Amino acid sequence: MNWHQQVNAVLRAHQLEKYVVNPVVPLKYLSEEDHAAGTINPEFTNWDRQDALIMSWLLSTLSDSILSRVVTCCHSFQVWNAICSHFHGLTRARTMQLRLELRTIKKGNKSCSEYEYLQRIQQLCDTLTATGDAISNCEQTDAILGGLPPEYEALISTIMAFLTRDADVSVLDIETMILAHEARLEQHKQTALQEPLTLNLAESTSAPHIDSQC
């Protein structure tokens, strides 16, 4: 849970959002006469007291590096707006970075069976969703298929055929097919490596015995 979620949860629990989100600040003086006499509106006094408590609490939740961004703030809603604006900028930059990785990720030497490739894509999608930039199943599927190497081309064609026919194929179904395909590829590789050894062994056992005695 990030700072915004934690703080917002507390504000909602105590019904204090009205102090930080679009607050309606009572007039400090109800009339020119009150202003001249220094008679402060009791509603403003109550609001100001509560606002000071909230501001003090908000400041206590911030790190030293963030506190420098709110030194000019006088009220809780100003602190809230400044921090939200700062985090919004950071989130936007992070979102762009994650989406770029999602568009360009390649399987390479990563293993699907050990979830190095598929899990990374899932992590990217989950993180983007948590930042408010939800990734659709279609986008996740495109990322998965787009990063697969040429030896998966036949499988990709099969999956695309299913998707073109609007078949009910989930991301989990696609991952299962990829894992099965990877297992078959690995089995073929092992077989290809063992065949020369088997052939050499067969040749050595079938070679005629030559008697060295004259």
Side-chain angles (χ1 to χ4, degrees):
M1 184 179 291
N2 59 35
W3 180 89
H4 185 276
Q5 289 175 309
Q6 291 176 321
V7 171
N8 197 41
V10 174
L11 292 173
R12 291 202 320 271
H14 295 277
Q15 299 181 343
L16 298 174
E17 306 105 304
K18 61 184 178 181
Y19 288 92
V20 297
V21 181
N22 299 321
V24 178
V25 182
L27 293 174
K28 187 173 183 178
Y29 303 103
L30 295 177
S31 65
E32 291 295 332
E33 291 77 10
D34 287 345
H35 193 181
T39 304
I40 299 176
N41 178 10
E43 287 188 15
F44 175 84
T45 300
N46 292 333
W47 176 89
D48 191 50
R49 184 182 298 112
Q50 185 66 67
D51 176 70
L53 289 172
I54 297 172
M55 180 174 175
S56 176
W57 171 68
L58 286 176
L59 294 177
S60 71
T61 67
L62 303 177
S63 63
D64 291 340
S65 60
I66 302 299
L67 282 172
S68 62
R69 298 180 177 274
V70 297
V71 292
T72 60
C73 297
C74 300
H75 297 289
S76 60
F77 67 87
Q78 294 173 331
V79 173
W80 176 263
N81 290 339
I83 298 305
C84 286
S85 177
H86 172 65
F87 283 145
H88 178 73
L90 293 180
T91 299
R92 180 172 175 78
R94 178 62 173 160
T95 296
M96 293 175 63
Q97 177 186 3
L98 293 173
R99 275 197 169 271
L100 176 61
E101 182 179 351
L102 188 63
R103 288 196 303 269
T104 58
I105 189 170
K106 300 296 179 184
K107 178 181 179 297
N109 294 325
K110 301 182 184 72
S111 169
C112 289
S113 59
E114 296 178 4
Y115 292 95
E116 295 173 343
Y117 174 66
L118 297 176
Q119 187 177 43
R120 180 53 185 164
I121 291 178
Q122 187 63 57
Q123 288 173 343
L124 291 171
C125 294
D126 290 343
T127 303
L128 283 165
T129 299
T131 63
D133 188 12
I135 298 297
S136 67
N137 288 341
C138 182
E139 289 177 297
Q140 186 171 352
T141 298
D142 288 343
I144 292 173
L145 299 182
L148 294 174
E151 55 263 33
Y152 287 78
E153 197 61 40
L155 176 63
I156 293 174
S157 298
T158 300
I159 294 174
M160 292 302 296
F162 280 125
L163 296 175
T164 302
R165 293 197 298 267
D166 293 327
D168 187 15
V169 182
S170 67
V171 171
L172 181 59
D173 292 332
I174 293 172
E175 290 179 342
T176 301
M177 286 187 278
I178 290 174
L179 292 173
H181 188 77
E182 183 182 61
R184 287 195 297 271
L185 289 176
E186 186 61 30
Q187 185 178 21
H188 292 329
K189 289 179 182 178
Q190 293 299 325
T191 301
L193 290 174
Q194 291 174 0
E195 283 180 351
L197 296 176
T198 304
L199 181 60
N200 290 337
L201 180 61
E203 290 177 348
S204 63
T205 55
S206 62
H209 177 69
I210 301 176
D211 193 348
S212 60
Q213 295 181 355
C214 296

Short mmCIF file of all heavy atoms in Angstrom, two decimals, residues 123-186:
data_model
loop_
_atom_site.label_atom_id
_atom_site.label_comp_id
_atom_site.label_asym_id
_atom_site.label_seq_id
_atom_site.Cartn_x
_atom_site.Cartn_y
_atom_site.Cartn_z
N GLN A 123 4.17 -9.35 -13.57
CA GLN A 123 4.56 -8.32 -12.61
C GLN A 123 4.38 -6.92 -13.19
O GLN A 123 3.89 -6.01 -12.51
CB GLN A 123 6.02 -8.52 -12.19
CG GLN A 123 6.25 -9.72 -11.29
CD GLN A 123 7.72 -9.97 -11.03
OE1 GLN A 123 8.59 -9.48 -11.76
NE2 GLN A 123 8.03 -10.76 -10.01
N LEU A 124 4.77 -6.76 -14.44
CA LEU A 124 4.60 -5.46 -15.10
C LEU A 124 3.13 -5.08 -15.18
O LEU A 124 2.76 -3.94 -14.89
CB LEU A 124 5.21 -5.51 -16.51
CG LEU A 124 6.74 -5.61 -16.59
CD1 LEU A 124 7.17 -5.87 -18.03
CD2 LEU A 124 7.39 -4.33 -16.07
N CYS A 125 2.29 -6.03 -15.56
CA CYS A 125 0.85 -5.77 -15.68
C CYS A 125 0.24 -5.44 -14.32
O CYS A 125 -0.57 -4.51 -14.20
CB CYS A 125 0.15 -6.97 -16.30
SG CYS A 125 0.61 -7.29 -18.02
N ASP A 126 0.62 -6.18 -13.30
CA ASP A 126 0.09 -5.95 -11.95
C ASP A 126 0.51 -4.58 -11.43
O ASP A 126 -0.28 -3.86 -10.81
CB ASP A 126 0.56 -7.04 -10.99
CG ASP A 126 -0.08 -8.39 -11.28
OD1 ASP A 126 -1.11 -8.42 -11.99
OD2 ASP A 126 0.45 -9.41 -10.80
N THR A 127 1.77 -4.22 -11.67
CA THR A 127 2.28 -2.93 -11.19
C THR A 127 1.58 -1.78 -11.89
O THR A 127 1.21 -0.78 -11.27
CB THR A 127 3.80 -2.83 -11.40
OG1 THR A 127 4.44 -3.93 -10.75
CG2 THR A 127 4.34 -1.53 -10.82
N LEU A 128 1.40 -1.91 -13.19
CA LEU A 128 0.70 -0.87 -13.95
C LEU A 128 -0.75 -0.73 -13.48
O LEU A 128 -1.26 0.39 -13.34
CB LEU A 128 0.74 -1.19 -15.44
CG LEU A 128 2.08 -0.90 -16.14
CD1 LEU A 128 2.14 -1.58 -17.49
CD2 LEU A 128 2.28 0.61 -16.28
N THR A 129 -1.39 -1.84 -13.21
CA THR A 129 -2.77 -1.80 -12.72
C THR A 129 -2.83 -1.11 -11.36
O THR A 129 -3.74 -0.33 -11.08
CB THR A 129 -3.34 -3.22 -12.62
OG1 THR A 129 -3.36 -3.82 -13.92
CG2 THR A 129 -4.76 -3.20 -12.07
N ALA A 130 -1.84 -1.38 -10.51
CA ALA A 130 -1.80 -0.77 -9.18
C ALA A 130 -1.61 0.74 -9.25
O ALA A 130 -2.06 1.47 -8.37
CB ALA A 130 -0.68 -1.40 -8.35
N THR A 131 -0.98 1.22 -10.32
CA THR A 131 -0.77 2.66 -10.47
C THR A 131 -1.98 3.33 -11.13
O THR A 131 -1.96 4.55 -11.34
CB THR A 131 0.48 2.95 -11.32
OG1 THR A 131 0.30 2.43 -12.65
CG2 THR A 131 1.72 2.34 -10.70
N GLY A 132 -3.00 2.54 -11.46
CA GLY A 132 -4.19 3.11 -12.08
C GLY A 132 -4.19 3.01 -13.59
O GLY A 132 -5.11 3.50 -14.25
N ASP A 133 -3.17 2.37 -14.16
CA ASP A 133 -3.08 2.21 -15.61
C ASP A 133 -3.27 0.73 -15.94
O ASP A 133 -2.31 0.01 -16.20
CB ASP A 133 -1.73 2.71 -16.11
CG ASP A 133 -1.64 2.74 -17.63
OD1 ASP A 133 -2.69 2.60 -18.29
OD2 ASP A 133 -0.53 2.90 -18.16
N ALA A 134 -4.51 0.29 -15.89
CA ALA A 134 -4.81 -1.14 -16.03
C ALA A 134 -4.44 -1.67 -17.41
O ALA A 134 -4.62 -0.99 -18.42
CB ALA A 134 -6.29 -1.39 -15.76
N ILE A 135 -3.90 -2.88 -17.42
CA ILE A 135 -3.52 -3.56 -18.66
C ILE A 135 -4.59 -4.59 -18.99
O ILE A 135 -4.94 -5.43 -18.16
CB ILE A 135 -2.15 -4.26 -18.51
CG1 ILE A 135 -1.06 -3.22 -18.22
CG2 ILE A 135 -1.81 -5.05 -19.76
CD1 ILE A 135 -0.84 -2.23 -19.33
N SER A 136 -5.11 -4.54 -20.20
CA SER A 136 -6.15 -5.49 -20.61
C SER A 136 -5.52 -6.85 -20.92
O SER A 136 -4.31 -6.96 -21.13
CB SER A 136 -6.88 -4.97 -21.85
OG SER A 136 -6.00 -4.93 -22.96
N ASN A 137 -6.36 -7.87 -20.97
CA ASN A 137 -5.89 -9.21 -21.34
C ASN A 137 -5.29 -9.21 -22.75
O ASN A 137 -4.33 -9.92 -23.03
CB ASN A 137 -7.03 -10.21 -21.26
CG ASN A 137 -7.42 -10.53 -19.83
OD1 ASN A 137 -6.65 -10.28 -18.90
ND2 ASN A 137 -8.61 -11.07 -19.64
N CYS A 138 -5.88 -8.40 -23.62
CA CYS A 138 -5.39 -8.31 -24.99
C CYS A 138 -3.97 -7.74 -25.02
O CYS A 138 -3.10 -8.25 -25.74
CB CYS A 138 -6.33 -7.44 -25.82
SG CYS A 138 -5.86 -7.31 -27.56
N GLU A 139 -3.72 -6.70 -24.24
CA GLU A 139 -2.39 -6.10 -24.19
C GLU A 139 -1.37 -7.07 -23.59
O GLU A 139 -0.23 -7.16 -24.06
CB GLU A 139 -2.43 -4.81 -23.36
CG GLU A 139 -3.14 -3.66 -24.03
CD GLU A 139 -3.21 -2.43 -23.13
OE1 GLU A 139 -3.83 -2.52 -22.06
OE2 GLU A 139 -2.64 -1.39 -23.50
N GLN A 140 -1.79 -7.80 -22.55
CA GLN A 140 -0.89 -8.77 -21.94
C GLN A 140 -0.57 -9.90 -22.92
O GLN A 140 0.58 -10.35 -23.01
CB GLN A 140 -1.51 -9.34 -20.66
CG GLN A 140 -0.56 -10.25 -19.88
CD GLN A 140 -1.10 -10.63 -18.52
OE1 GLN A 140 -2.13 -10.10 -18.08
NE2 GLN A 140 -0.44 -11.53 -17.83
N THR A 141 -1.58 -10.34 -23.65
CA THR A 141 -1.37 -11.39 -24.65
C THR A 141 -0.41 -10.92 -25.73
O THR A 141 0.50 -11.66 -26.15
CB THR A 141 -2.71 -11.79 -25.28
OG1 THR A 141 -3.57 -12.32 -24.27
CG2 THR A 141 -2.51 -12.83 -26.37
N ASP A 142 -0.58 -9.69 -26.20
CA ASP A 142 0.31 -9.14 -27.22
C ASP A 142 1.76 -9.10 -26.72
O ASP A 142 2.69 -9.39 -27.48
CB ASP A 142 -0.13 -7.73 -27.61
CG ASP A 142 -1.41 -7.73 -28.44
OD1 ASP A 142 -1.77 -8.80 -28.97
OD2 ASP A 142 -2.05 -6.66 -28.54
N ALA A 143 1.92 -8.73 -25.46
CA ALA A 143 3.27 -8.66 -24.89
C ALA A 143 3.90 -10.05 -24.81
O ALA A 143 5.08 -10.24 -25.13
CB ALA A 143 3.22 -8.04 -23.50
N ILE A 144 3.11 -11.04 -24.40
CA ILE A 144 3.61 -12.41 -24.27
C ILE A 144 4.03 -12.96 -25.63
O ILE A 144 5.14 -13.46 -25.81
CB ILE A 144 2.54 -13.32 -23.64
CG1 ILE A 144 2.31 -12.93 -22.17
CG2 ILE A 144 2.97 -14.79 -23.72
CD1 ILE A 144 1.15 -13.66 -21.52
N LEU A 145 3.14 -12.86 -26.60
CA LEU A 145 3.41 -13.43 -27.93
C LEU A 145 4.49 -12.64 -28.66
O LEU A 145 5.31 -13.22 -29.38
CB LEU A 145 2.13 -13.46 -28.76
CG LEU A 145 0.97 -14.30 -28.20
CD1 LEU A 145 -0.21 -14.28 -29.16
CD2 LEU A 145 1.41 -15.73 -27.91
N GLY A 146 4.49 -11.33 -28.48
CA GLY A 146 5.46 -10.49 -29.19
C GLY A 146 6.89 -10.70 -28.77
O GLY A 146 7.82 -10.40 -29.53
N GLY A 147 7.10 -11.24 -27.57
CA GLY A 147 8.46 -11.43 -27.08
C GLY A 147 9.01 -12.83 -27.29
O GLY A 147 10.14 -13.12 -26.91
N LEU A 148 8.21 -13.70 -27.90
CA LEU A 148 8.66 -15.08 -28.10
C LEU A 148 9.58 -15.19 -29.32
O LEU A 148 9.39 -14.49 -30.31
CB LEU A 148 7.45 -16.00 -28.29
CG LEU A 148 6.53 -16.17 -27.07
CD1 LEU A 148 5.31 -17.00 -27.44
CD2 LEU A 148 7.29 -16.82 -25.91
N PRO A 149 10.57 -16.08 -29.27
CA PRO A 149 11.53 -16.25 -30.37
C PRO A 149 10.91 -17.04 -31.53
O PRO A 149 9.80 -17.58 -31.41
CB PRO A 149 12.67 -17.03 -29.71
CG PRO A 149 12.03 -17.76 -28.58
CD PRO A 149 10.93 -16.88 -28.08
N PRO A 150 11.63 -17.15 -32.66
CA PRO A 150 11.09 -17.80 -33.87
C PRO A 150 10.63 -19.24 -33.67
O PRO A 150 9.70 -19.69 -34.35
CB PRO A 150 12.27 -17.73 -34.85
CG PRO A 150 13.05 -16.54 -34.41
CD PRO A 150 12.94 -16.52 -32.92
N GLU A 151 11.27 -19.99 -32.76
CA GLU A 151 10.88 -21.39 -32.59
C GLU A 151 9.47 -21.55 -32.01
O GLU A 151 8.96 -22.66 -31.92
CB GLU A 151 11.89 -22.14 -31.72
CG GLU A 151 12.15 -21.52 -30.36
CD GLU A 151 13.40 -20.64 -30.36
OE1 GLU A 151 13.68 -20.01 -31.41
OE2 GLU A 151 14.08 -20.59 -29.32
N TYR A 152 8.87 -20.43 -31.62
CA TYR A 152 7.49 -20.48 -31.12
C TYR A 152 6.49 -20.02 -32.18
O TYR A 152 5.31 -19.85 -31.88
CB TYR A 152 7.34 -19.58 -29.88
CG TYR A 152 7.99 -20.13 -28.63
CD1 TYR A 152 9.36 -20.05 -28.44
CD2 TYR A 152 7.22 -20.74 -27.64
CE1 TYR A 152 9.96 -20.55 -27.30
CE2 TYR A 152 7.81 -21.24 -26.49
CZ TYR A 152 9.19 -21.15 -26.33
OH TYR A 152 9.77 -21.65 -25.19
N GLU A 153 6.97 -19.81 -33.40
CA GLU A 153 6.13 -19.23 -34.44
C GLU A 153 4.88 -20.08 -34.73
O GLU A 153 3.78 -19.55 -34.92
CB GLU A 153 6.94 -19.05 -35.73
CG GLU A 153 6.30 -18.11 -36.73
CD GLU A 153 6.13 -16.70 -36.18
OE1 GLU A 153 7.05 -16.21 -35.49
OE2 GLU A 153 5.06 -16.10 -36.43
N ALA A 154 5.06 -21.40 -34.76
CA ALA A 154 3.91 -22.27 -35.02
C ALA A 154 2.86 -22.13 -33.93
O ALA A 154 1.65 -22.08 -34.21
CB ALA A 154 4.38 -23.72 -35.13
N LEU A 155 3.32 -22.07 -32.69
CA LEU A 155 2.38 -21.92 -31.57
C LEU A 155 1.69 -20.56 -31.64
O LEU A 155 0.48 -20.46 -31.39
CB LEU A 155 3.13 -22.07 -30.25
CG LEU A 155 2.29 -21.83 -28.98
CD1 LEU A 155 1.18 -22.86 -28.88
CD2 LEU A 155 3.17 -21.85 -27.74
N ILE A 156 2.45 -19.52 -31.97
CA ILE A 156 1.87 -18.18 -32.07
C ILE A 156 0.77 -18.16 -33.12
O ILE A 156 -0.31 -17.58 -32.91
CB ILE A 156 2.96 -17.14 -32.41
CG1 ILE A 156 3.95 -17.01 -31.24
CG2 ILE A 156 2.34 -15.78 -32.72
CD1 ILE A 156 5.14 -16.13 -31.54
N SER A 157 1.01 -18.81 -34.24
CA SER A 157 0.00 -18.87 -35.31
C SER A 157 -1.26 -19.57 -34.83
O SER A 157 -2.38 -19.15 -35.14
CB SER A 157 0.57 -19.59 -36.53
OG SER A 157 1.68 -18.88 -37.06
N THR A 158 -1.07 -20.64 -34.07
CA THR A 158 -2.23 -21.37 -33.54
C THR A 158 -3.03 -20.51 -32.58
O THR A 158 -4.27 -20.45 -32.66
CB THR A 158 -1.75 -22.64 -32.81
OG1 THR A 158 -1.03 -23.47 -33.72
CG2 THR A 158 -2.94 -23.41 -32.24
N ILE A 159 -2.33 -19.83 -31.68
CA ILE A 159 -3.02 -18.97 -30.71
C ILE A 159 -3.73 -17.82 -31.42
O ILE A 159 -4.88 -17.49 -31.09
CB ILE A 159 -2.01 -18.42 -29.68
CG1 ILE A 159 -1.45 -19.57 -28.83
CG2 ILE A 159 -2.67 -17.38 -28.78
CD1 ILE A 159 -0.34 -19.15 -27.88
N MET A 160 -3.07 -17.23 -32.40
CA MET A 160 -3.69 -16.13 -33.13
C MET A 160 -4.93 -16.59 -33.87
O MET A 160 -5.92 -15.84 -33.99
CB MET A 160 -2.68 -15.52 -34.11
CG MET A 160 -1.51 -14.80 -33.45
SD MET A 160 -2.04 -13.46 -32.36
CE MET A 160 -2.80 -12.35 -33.55
N ALA A 161 -4.91 -17.82 -34.36
CA ALA A 161 -6.08 -18.36 -35.04
C ALA A 161 -7.25 -18.48 -34.08
O ALA A 161 -8.40 -18.15 -34.41
CB ALA A 161 -5.75 -19.72 -35.65
N PHE A 162 -6.97 -18.94 -32.86
CA PHE A 162 -8.01 -19.02 -31.84
C PHE A 162 -8.57 -17.64 -31.52
O PHE A 162 -9.78 -17.44 -31.44
CB PHE A 162 -7.45 -19.65 -30.55
CG PHE A 162 -7.35 -21.14 -30.60
CD1 PHE A 162 -6.14 -21.78 -30.33
CD2 PHE A 162 -8.46 -21.93 -30.88
CE1 PHE A 162 -6.04 -23.15 -30.37
CE2 PHE A 162 -8.37 -23.31 -30.92
CZ PHE A 162 -7.15 -23.93 -30.66
N LEU A 163 -7.67 -16.67 -31.35
CA LEU A 163 -8.09 -15.33 -30.98
C LEU A 163 -8.88 -14.66 -32.11
O LEU A 163 -9.82 -13.91 -31.86
CB LEU A 163 -6.86 -14.48 -30.63
CG LEU A 163 -6.07 -14.93 -29.38
CD1 LEU A 163 -4.82 -14.08 -29.22
CD2 LEU A 163 -6.94 -14.83 -28.13
N THR A 164 -8.48 -14.94 -33.35
CA THR A 164 -9.19 -14.36 -34.49
C THR A 164 -10.63 -14.85 -34.57
O THR A 164 -11.53 -14.12 -34.98
CB THR A 164 -8.45 -14.71 -35.80
OG1 THR A 164 -7.11 -14.22 -35.72
CG2 THR A 164 -9.13 -14.08 -37.00
N ARG A 165 -10.83 -16.09 -34.14
CA ARG A 165 -12.18 -16.65 -34.14
C ARG A 165 -12.96 -16.29 -32.88
O ARG A 165 -14.01 -16.86 -32.60
CB ARG A 165 -12.12 -18.18 -34.27
CG ARG A 165 -11.57 -18.67 -35.60
CD ARG A 165 -11.91 -20.13 -35.83
NE ARG A 165 -11.32 -20.99 -34.81
CZ ARG A 165 -10.13 -21.58 -34.95
NH1 ARG A 165 -9.42 -21.39 -36.06
NH2 ARG A 165 -9.65 -22.36 -34.00
N ASP A 166 -12.40 -15.34 -32.10
CA ASP A 166 -13.04 -14.90 -30.86
C ASP A 166 -13.23 -16.06 -29.88
O ASP A 166 -14.20 -16.10 -29.12
CB ASP A 166 -14.40 -14.25 -31.13
CG ASP A 166 -14.26 -12.94 -31.90
OD1 ASP A 166 -13.25 -12.26 -31.68
OD2 ASP A 166 -15.14 -12.62 -32.70
N ALA A 167 -12.31 -17.00 -29.93
CA ALA A 167 -12.38 -18.11 -28.99
C ALA A 167 -12.09 -17.61 -27.58
O ALA A 167 -11.37 -16.63 -27.38
CB ALA A 167 -11.38 -19.19 -29.38
N ASP A 168 -12.67 -18.28 -26.62
CA ASP A 168 -12.50 -17.88 -25.22
C ASP A 168 -11.17 -18.41 -24.71
O ASP A 168 -11.09 -19.44 -24.04
CB ASP A 168 -13.67 -18.42 -24.39
CG ASP A 168 -13.62 -17.89 -22.95
OD1 ASP A 168 -12.88 -16.92 -22.71
OD2 ASP A 168 -14.32 -18.46 -22.09
N VAL A 169 -10.10 -17.69 -25.04
CA VAL A 169 -8.75 -18.09 -24.65
C VAL A 169 -8.23 -17.07 -23.64
O VAL A 169 -8.06 -15.89 -23.96
CB VAL A 169 -7.80 -18.15 -25.87
CG1 VAL A 169 -6.42 -18.62 -25.43
CG2 VAL A 169 -8.37 -19.08 -26.93
N SER A 170 -7.99 -17.52 -22.43
CA SER A 170 -7.51 -16.62 -21.38
C SER A 170 -5.99 -16.53 -21.41
O SER A 170 -5.31 -17.31 -22.09
CB SER A 170 -7.97 -17.13 -20.01
OG SER A 170 -7.32 -18.36 -19.71
N VAL A 171 -5.47 -15.57 -20.66
CA VAL A 171 -4.02 -15.44 -20.54
C VAL A 171 -3.43 -16.70 -19.93
O VAL A 171 -2.36 -17.18 -20.34
CB VAL A 171 -3.66 -14.20 -19.68
CG1 VAL A 171 -2.16 -14.18 -19.37
CG2 VAL A 171 -4.06 -12.92 -20.40
N LEU A 172 -4.13 -17.27 -18.96
CA LEU A 172 -3.67 -18.51 -18.33
C LEU A 172 -3.60 -19.65 -19.34
O LEU A 172 -2.66 -20.46 -19.33
CB LEU A 172 -4.59 -18.88 -17.17
CG LEU A 172 -4.21 -20.15 -16.38
CD1 LEU A 172 -2.81 -20.02 -15.79
CD2 LEU A 172 -5.24 -20.42 -15.28
N ASP A 173 -4.59 -19.72 -20.23
CA ASP A 173 -4.59 -20.75 -21.28
C ASP A 173 -3.36 -20.59 -22.18
O ASP A 173 -2.70 -21.57 -22.53
CB ASP A 173 -5.85 -20.66 -22.13
CG ASP A 173 -7.10 -21.05 -21.36
OD1 ASP A 173 -6.99 -21.85 -20.42
OD2 ASP A 173 -8.19 -20.53 -21.70
N ILE A 174 -3.07 -19.35 -22.54
CA ILE A 174 -1.92 -19.07 -23.41
C ILE A 174 -0.62 -19.43 -22.71
O ILE A 174 0.27 -20.04 -23.31
CB ILE A 174 -1.93 -17.59 -23.83
CG1 ILE A 174 -3.13 -17.31 -24.74
CG2 ILE A 174 -0.63 -17.21 -24.53
CD1 ILE A 174 -3.33 -15.85 -25.06
N GLU A 175 -0.52 -19.09 -21.44
CA GLU A 175 0.69 -19.44 -20.69
C GLU A 175 0.87 -20.95 -20.61
O GLU A 175 1.99 -21.47 -20.73
CB GLU A 175 0.61 -18.84 -19.29
CG GLU A 175 0.74 -17.32 -19.26
CD GLU A 175 0.64 -16.75 -17.87
OE1 GLU A 175 0.15 -17.46 -16.96
OE2 GLU A 175 1.04 -15.59 -17.67
N THR A 176 -0.24 -21.67 -20.43
CA THR A 176 -0.17 -23.14 -20.36
C THR A 176 0.32 -23.72 -21.68
O THR A 176 1.16 -24.64 -21.70
CB THR A 176 -1.56 -23.71 -20.02
OG1 THR A 176 -2.00 -23.18 -18.76
CG2 THR A 176 -1.51 -25.23 -19.94
N MET A 177 -0.17 -23.19 -22.79
CA MET A 177 0.27 -23.66 -24.11
C MET A 177 1.75 -23.37 -24.34
O MET A 177 2.49 -24.18 -24.91
CB MET A 177 -0.58 -23.03 -25.21
CG MET A 177 -1.99 -23.59 -25.29
SD MET A 177 -2.92 -22.97 -26.74
CE MET A 177 -3.49 -21.39 -26.10
N ILE A 178 2.20 -22.20 -23.88
CA ILE A 178 3.61 -21.83 -24.04
C ILE A 178 4.50 -22.75 -23.22
O ILE A 178 5.55 -23.22 -23.68
CB ILE A 178 3.82 -20.36 -23.65
CG1 ILE A 178 3.16 -19.44 -24.68
CG2 ILE A 178 5.31 -20.04 -23.54
CD1 ILE A 178 3.19 -17.98 -24.30
N LEU A 179 4.08 -23.04 -22.00
CA LEU A 179 4.87 -23.93 -21.14
C LEU A 179 4.95 -25.33 -21.74
O LEU A 179 6.02 -25.97 -21.70
CB LEU A 179 4.24 -23.99 -19.74
CG LEU A 179 4.33 -22.70 -18.91
CD1 LEU A 179 3.53 -22.84 -17.63
CD2 LEU A 179 5.78 -22.36 -18.60
N ALA A 180 3.84 -25.81 -22.30
CA ALA A 180 3.85 -27.13 -22.92
C ALA A 180 4.76 -27.14 -24.15
O ALA A 180 5.50 -28.10 -24.39
CB ALA A 180 2.42 -27.52 -23.31
N HIS A 181 4.72 -26.06 -24.92
CA HIS A 181 5.56 -25.96 -26.12
C HIS A 181 7.03 -25.91 -25.73
O HIS A 181 7.87 -26.55 -26.37
CB HIS A 181 5.17 -24.71 -26.91
CG HIS A 181 5.83 -24.61 -28.25
ND1 HIS A 181 5.40 -25.34 -29.33
CD2 HIS A 181 6.89 -23.88 -28.69
CE1 HIS A 181 6.16 -25.07 -30.38
NE2 HIS A 181 7.07 -24.18 -30.01
N GLU A 182 7.35 -25.16 -24.68
CA GLU A 182 8.73 -25.08 -24.23
C GLU A 182 9.23 -26.45 -23.77
O GLU A 182 10.38 -26.82 -24.04
CB GLU A 182 8.87 -24.07 -23.10
CG GLU A 182 10.32 -23.89 -22.63
CD GLU A 182 10.45 -22.93 -21.46
OE1 GLU A 182 9.86 -23.20 -20.40
OE2 GLU A 182 11.14 -21.91 -21.62
N ALA A 183 8.37 -27.19 -23.10
CA ALA A 183 8.75 -28.53 -22.64
C ALA A 183 9.06 -29.44 -23.82
O ALA A 183 10.02 -30.22 -23.79
CB ALA A 183 7.63 -29.12 -21.78
N ARG A 184 8.25 -29.33 -24.89
CA ARG A 184 8.50 -30.15 -26.08
C ARG A 184 9.81 -29.74 -26.76
O ARG A 184 10.58 -30.60 -27.22
CB ARG A 184 7.33 -30.02 -27.06
CG ARG A 184 6.07 -30.75 -26.61
CD ARG A 184 5.07 -30.90 -27.75
NE ARG A 184 4.61 -29.60 -28.24
CZ ARG A 184 3.56 -28.96 -27.74
NH1 ARG A 184 2.88 -29.48 -26.73
NH2 ARG A 184 3.19 -27.79 -28.24
N LEU A 185 10.06 -28.44 -26.83
CA LEU A 185 11.31 -27.98 -27.43
C LEU A 185 12.51 -28.49 -26.64
O LEU A 185 13.52 -28.92 -27.23
CB LEU A 185 11.34 -26.44 -27.47
CG LEU A 185 10.40 -25.75 -28.45
CD1 LEU A 185 10.48 -24.24 -28.28
CD2 LEU A 185 10.74 -26.12 -29.89
N GLU A 186 12.41 -28.46 -25.33
CA GLU A 186 13.50 -28.93 -24.49
C GLU A 186 13.71 -30.43 -24.67
O GLU A 186 14.85 -30.92 -24.71
CB GLU A 186 13.19 -28.61 -23.02
CG GLU A 186 14.32 -28.94 -22.05
CD GLU A 186 15.59 -28.16 -22.34
OE1 GLU A 186 15.49 -27.03 -22.86
OE2 GLU A 186 16.69 -28.69 -22.06
#
